[in-house]
Amino acid sequence: MRILGIEGTAWAASAALCDTEADRIFIESDPYEPESGGIHPREAAEHMADAIPAVIDTVLQHAIETAPSATTGPAIDAVAFSRGPGLGPCLRIVGTAARSASKSLNVPLVGVNHMVAHLEVGRHFAGFDSPVCLNASGANAHLLGYHNGRYRVLGETMDTGVGNAIDKFTRHVGWSHPGGPKVERAAANGSFIDLPYVVKGMDFSFSGIMSAAKQAADDGEAIEDICFSLQEHIFGMLTEVTERALSLTGTDELVLGGGVGQNARLREMLATMCEARGAQFYAPEPRFLQDNAGMIALLGAKMLAAGDTMAIEDSAIDPNFRPDQVPVTWRDSEES
Ligand code: ATP
């Protein structure tokens, strides 16, 4: 099976070919890099409109070059695209590109939930059956666990996504986007200072810690100490709730998803926690953690195998598409 995946929920204009028989995923991405400030939805959409045709062309060219010898053209079986969650102006461009590719290639269309794709790419490469997933991305932060046909949200941020929270702090101190890698670098030389730590049951909040971190910077506290302490508090909160999710579900498999998952300190905390309780931990390689069309194509292949395709007239994008809205159709066909 060969699936063309298209991703464009925010900053990454990305296309991919997932070839299940060859067990290969080819990804072509073109990131939007704001000149100043954070991600501006209109500028991100302009970038998406410019970049999506080129990344799709590159992947189709690759598909033609790698097509089985008996076939002509790119030999694509379906087009999968991110329906949401994400920025509406970007999603609309991706939806239009996917519908037109599905029409012109005359193949089915598959609508993928971006956050479920973050989970499924980790589950696939880890070979796990039913893991808990911590999605730590720019615009989201939540724990997912499978129960009765859906990925349930076991706990989530009560305000901003984790990456967006970090990026708001780095904007305040004048650092360019994205802020996460810069905080990680500065934290290497920092020491601990007290910041708010807010976990309420299975949910958590980042707004208080961000205000306190900005205030500490305004008060002249060493930036390295603030960055170190931001990581210790935020990742400590995420690790605490993740451990509780493993305990509540009785699961001994954890996967990590999302761009913040590239952070070595977060991975270290999660790995230590899993080791202490005898659970297995898997974090995908960076190109599958940050936004990418490879995970969309991969989940698209699983959904196509389950017959989970959609008519063009039903393929409207959904900027607020929650993972627990998705009927998980593909797990039964994986098992059979
Ligand atoms: P979503 O998947 O919710 O749509 P997104 O589109 O914002 O998220 P991602 O690629 O998942 O994008 O994550 C981007 C975020 O990851 C940014 O906020 C960035 O600062 C953060 N990030 C990237 N590298 C690191 C790192 N090493 N440490 C911490 N954060 C990081």
Side-chain angles (χ1 to χ4, degrees):
M1 195 183 291
R2 287 158 58 91
I3 308 296
L4 169 64
I6 310 177
E7 156 65 27
T9 50
W11 63 272
S14 181
L17 176 72
C18 173
D19 186 329
T20 57
E21 269 100 73
D23 196 18
R24 240 190 347 242
I25 302 180
F26 172 85
I27 304 174
E28 177 73 9
S29 297
D30 185 346
Y32 155 62
E33 284 154 356
E35 272 171 29
S36 62
I39 292 180
H40 188 290
R42 183 180 45 76
E43 284 177 13
E46 281 168 7
H47 170 78
M48 206 57 72
D50 288 344
I52 277 286
V55 295
I56 293 176
D57 274 355
T58 301
V59 171
L60 286 178
Q61 189 53 43
H62 170 81
I64 290 167
E65 285 159 14
T66 58
S69 48
T71 58
T72 52
I76 300 284
D77 297 300
V79 175
F81 74 108
S82 293
R83 281 185 74 199
L87 299 173
C90 296
L91 289 169
R92 277 188 278 282
I93 289 159
V94 168
T96 304
R99 283 177 215 109
S100 94
S102 142
K103 274 278 195 197
S104 63
L105 294 165
N106 196 24
V107 294
L109 187 62
V110 182
V112 170
N113 180 292
H114 173 93
M115 301 315 298
V116 175
H118 272 307
L119 179 159
E120 284 291 346
V121 74
R123 188 171 83 92
H124 175 81
F125 285 122
F128 287 165
D129 177 35
S130 206
V132 159
C133 173
L134 169 63
N135 269 330
S137 64
N140 289 272
H142 57 227
L143 274 309
L144 299 178
Y146 182 76
H147 178 69
N148 206 11
R150 305 236 167 177
Y151 286 114
R152 313 287 166 174
V153 179
L154 305 171
E156 62 187 323
T157 175
M158 293 183 284
D159 36 58
T160 58
V162 56
N164 287 1
I166 295 171
D167 295 339
K168 276 183 191 159
F169 167 74
T170 53
R171 271 207 298 285
H172 183 79
V173 298
W175 292 354
S176 64
H177 184 86
K182 292 161 189 112
V183 166
E184 181 168 19
R185 275 197 295 278
N189 302 313
S191 314
F192 191 85
I193 57 171
D194 226 359
L195 293 170
Y197 181 102
V198 183
V199 173
K200 295 190 173 176
M202 291 297 291
D203 295 331
F204 37 88
S205 160
F206 299 122
S207 58
I209 187 170
M210 283 310 137
S211 303
K214 288 180 196 170
Q215 191 59 55
D218 292 347
D219 291 346
E221 200 80 57
I223 197 79
E224 293 82 3
D225 292 352
I226 304 172
C227 290
F228 177 84
S229 307
L230 268 181
Q231 293 204 153
E232 295 305 301
H233 285 79
I234 290 176
F235 299 155
M237 285 155 57
L238 292 177
T239 304
E240 177 189 333
V241 178
T242 304
E243 177 164 32
R244 203 168 301 137
L246 289 170
S247 173
L248 287 173
T249 56
T251 307
D252 60 4
E253 297 169 338
L254 173 67
V255 295
L256 181 58
V260 180
Q262 295 168 99
N263 186 287
R265 181 62 180 136
L266 173 61
R267 294 155 80 118
E268 183 187 17
M269 280 193 197
L270 293 169
T272 304
M273 178 272 288
C274 283
E275 198 184 340
R277 50 181 300 118
Q280 289 176 275
F281 170 59
Y282 180 78
E285 59 178 286
R287 74 190 184 117
F288 287 114
L289 277 168
Q290 61 191 16
D291 286 357
N292 68 92
M295 65 182 190
I296 305 300
L298 179 76
L299 179 50
K302 291 176 188 283
M303 291 173 72
L304 180 69
D308 190 356
T309 61
M310 66 193 336
I312 285 196
E313 53 273 27
D314 299 329
S315 66
I317 55 103
D318 181 356
N320 301 311
F321 197 11
R322 283 178 63 85
D324 49 6
Q325 288 176 272
V326 179
V328 177
T329 52
W330 54 92
R331 288 174 53 129
D332 287 346
S333 55
E334 277 177 347
E335 277 150 23
S336 61

